[in-house]
Amino acid sequence: MFRMGIMCTQVMSIIVPTFNEASTIERFLESLRDRAGDAEIIVVDGSSSDDTLELARNRSDQCLRSARGRARQMNRGAAAASGDIFWFLHADTEVPADCVQKICDVFRNPEVVGGFFRIRIPSRHFVYRLTDSLGHYAGLLLQMRFGDHGFFCRRPDFE
């Protein structure tokens, strides 16, 4: 398990709900492993009709099956997780290089329950830049966040 930073001793579990992600799952998990070190990575597949689960097996710590539906998949992953911190990510996102340190820094404040990133979909197409920006600013306006923002929280608060 990954222990975040020198001053942060919490173990992180990264939970990735998937559905037909065969075209991106390997690249995503390789990048995630590179940036998140030895964090526990749990892929929870929602009955994909492609090779998502098979492709994820060698690049994650656990691969689970679940009924389709992000909430079901996220809860299934959380039930199997061993970490003190849960980080929920979509397989079509790219996380910042210093993501683990940023999470560690946030949780130095014991009052903080969780947070999120402004994650961008890794595509240069204008439509994705537009939806990324709209999602970000709509979230600020409505005071809510969407799944692509990579929510993270302390285990006790999630439970």
Side-chain angles (χ1 to χ4, degrees):
M1 285 314 122
F2 186 69
R3 300 234 176 238
M4 302 186 315
I6 294 170
M7 301 198 52
C8 196
T9 60
Q10 296 176 311
V11 177
M12 181 188 297
S13 294
I14 302 171
I15 300 157
V16 183
T18 60
F19 181 74
N20 290 339
E21 305 283 353
S23 65
T24 60
I25 194 70
E26 290 176 295
R27 184 173 54 252
F28 168 76
L29 290 173
E30 287 168 5
S31 174
L32 183 60
R33 181 62 75 198
D34 182 52
R35 294 175 180 200
D38 295 329
E40 177 183 43
I41 298 175
I42 302 170
V43 173
V44 186
D45 190 69
S47 305
S48 290
S49 60
D50 64 9
D51 294 330
T52 299
L53 204 55
E54 291 73 28
L55 294 170
R57 285 195 198 284
N58 294 329
R59 291 170 178 81
S60 60
D61 298 297
Q62 293 186 59
C63 282
L64 308 171
R65 293 183 193 273
S66 170
R68 188 172 172 193
R70 284 195 181 127
R72 284 187 198 105
Q73 291 168 251
M74 292 164 65
N75 286 330
R76 173 102 164 88
S82 62
D84 305 307
I85 293 173
F86 294 160
W87 186 16
F88 300 97
L89 289 175
H90 291 181
D92 62 350
T93 58
E94 185 175 342
V95 299
D98 57 351
C99 56
V100 170
Q101 188 59 51
K102 287 184 182 284
I103 293 171
C104 182
D105 292 346
V106 166
F107 283 128
R108 284 200 177 109
N109 179 345
E111 305 270 323
V112 172
V113 173
F116 63 91
F117 285 96
R118 182 176 179 180
I119 294 180
R120 297 184 185 276
I121 297 171
S123 174
R124 295 194 195 301
H125 290 94
F126 174 74
V127 70
Y128 292 110
R129 297 292 62 81
L130 182 63
T131 57
D132 288 343
S133 294
L134 286 174
H136 175 68
Y137 291 109
L140 290 175
L141 180 66
L142 300 171
Q143 297 184 345
M144 59 187 282
R145 286 294 154 186
F146 307 100
D148 288 339
H149 288 96
F151 298 114
F152 53 88
C153 63
R154 298 177 196 271
R155 178 188 203 109
D157 294 306
F158 178 85
E159 292 174 342

